[in-house]
Amino acid sequence: MEAKTTQDDYEQVKRDLQALREDLSKLTKTVSESQKSNISSLRDEIRRESREAFDQVRQKGDEALHRARDAGDKAVHDVEHRIEERPFLSIVIMFLAGILVGKMFDR
């Protein structure tokens, strides 16, 4: 009778070990799938945040470009206006600036 109990215990231990292996396999698979899901969601979040940052940088760049363009247009308009007010003086100043630049490049 004791041999049968030992045999039954042995069989029970074998079944428990097999169940433990199956549980461990399922757990490993679940953890692996969870990690893949986490990595996928993290990748998606990084892409989304990267797009948002890029859009913000592009928007600020566009705003800076518009401000620079407006400032350049204003400067050109101011120069044109001054030339129209005093055309002779403007010609003399440009002539002197040309001489000055020419002297600088002669050296």
Side-chain angles (χ1 to χ4, degrees):
M1 180 96 170
E2 191 170 312
K4 188 168 185 164
T5 303
T6 305
Q7 185 66 24
D8 290 341
D9 289 344
Y10 176 73
E11 291 298 322
Q12 183 61 40
V13 168
K14 277 178 63 175
R15 285 191 298 269
D16 289 346
L17 283 175
Q18 185 61 32
L20 186 60
R21 284 186 192 121
E22 290 171 3
D23 289 346
L24 187 58
S25 175
K26 288 177 186 176
L27 180 63
T28 302
K29 186 176 179 181
T30 303
V31 168
S32 175
E33 290 173 356
S34 174
Q35 290 299 322
K36 287 178 186 177
S37 175
N38 288 345
I39 289 171
S40 177
S41 65
L42 182 62
R43 181 182 58 225
D44 292 343
E45 185 177 340
I46 288 172
R47 283 182 182 165
R48 182 182 51 78
E49 289 180 7
S50 296
R51 270 190 236 118
E52 288 176 2
F54 180 73
D55 290 343
Q56 288 176 356
V57 168
R58 185 182 334 177
Q59 182 181 7
K60 288 183 181 187
D62 288 343
E63 290 171 2
L65 179 63
H66 289 300
R67 284 194 305 268
R69 190 174 289 153
D70 290 344
D73 290 344
K74 185 181 181 307
V76 167
H77 179 36
D78 289 347
V79 168
E80 288 175 349
H81 182 67
R82 287 189 182 167
I83 289 173
E84 288 173 358
E85 284 180 350
R86 298 185 183 133
F88 182 72
L89 181 61
S90 300
I91 291 172
V92 171
I93 290 173
M94 294 304 286
F95 177 73
L96 293 175
I99 290 175
L100 183 63
V101 170
K103 291 287 184 182
M104 290 174 65
F105 283 121
D106 279 345
R107 293 182 183 187

